[in-house]
Amino acid sequence: MEDHPDRIPIEQCRHGRLYRLYSRNLNLGVYREDDHGFIGIRHKMGTRFLFTEFHWDTGPPHGTANPLEALCECPIERIDEYLERDEQRTYEDNTALFAWIEEQGTRLGINPESC
């Protein structure tokens, strides 16, 4: 993945916003400020799942996401790939976030994952 000249700098990204991305695995992602990651839908070996790519400005080897456009606010409060389910620390998929990102991709005419 290469640098994109139209990238929105990390200091201008806002927590909870959906961004159109130029990245290795995601075309859409919700920004999570605490780790500078974008949560989006990834497709790998026939499976689709939530996945985090980190802002390009975090540097190699993990900074692979170039945000190009802020699209809208995400109404989902918990912007995590998985949600803690109980006190035994078991986790479940964040299906609400997955469904919302998929819905936004359909509404915007953008395939959420890079293929």
Side-chain angles (χ1 to χ4, degrees):
M1 181 56 45
E2 60 188 54
D3 184 12
H4 196 283
D6 297 329
R7 176 182 69 253
I8 298 169
I10 199 168
E11 59 274 357
Q12 292 179 18
C13 290
R14 299 293 169 249
H15 181 79
R17 285 201 181 145
L18 179 68
Y19 287 84
R20 184 173 58 85
L21 303 173
Y22 173 73
S23 72
R24 187 172 43 204
N25 299 298
L26 309 174
N27 290 329
L28 294 174
V30 179
Y31 186 66
R32 192 172 57 201
E33 189 174 45
D34 62 344
D35 65 357
H36 307 296
F38 295 89
I39 309 292
I41 299 172
R42 180 176 182 185
H43 178 264
K44 183 176 182 180
M45 298 182 359
T47 304
R48 297 174 75 224
F49 53 93
L50 289 177
F51 180 77
T52 303
E53 281 200 52
F54 300 96
H55 197 292
W56 180 271
D57 292 349
T58 62
H62 302 292
T64 58
N66 289 274
L68 302 178
E69 179 182 11
L71 300 169
C72 61
E73 291 291 325
C74 176
I76 309 297
E77 190 173 312
R78 296 282 309 276
I79 305 171
D80 296 298
E81 295 173 40
Y82 304 100
L83 303 176
E84 190 171 325
R85 194 171 70 181
D86 55 35
E87 56 278 347
Q88 279 81 35
R89 302 188 70 75
T90 59
Y91 295 88
E92 60 187 25
D93 293 338
N94 189 342
T95 56
L97 182 59
F98 185 102
W100 185 82
I101 293 170
E102 190 165 52
E103 178 184 307
Q104 297 312 300
T106 299
R107 183 178 69 77
L108 296 164
I110 300 172
N111 185 9
E113 68 265 20
S114 295
C115 294

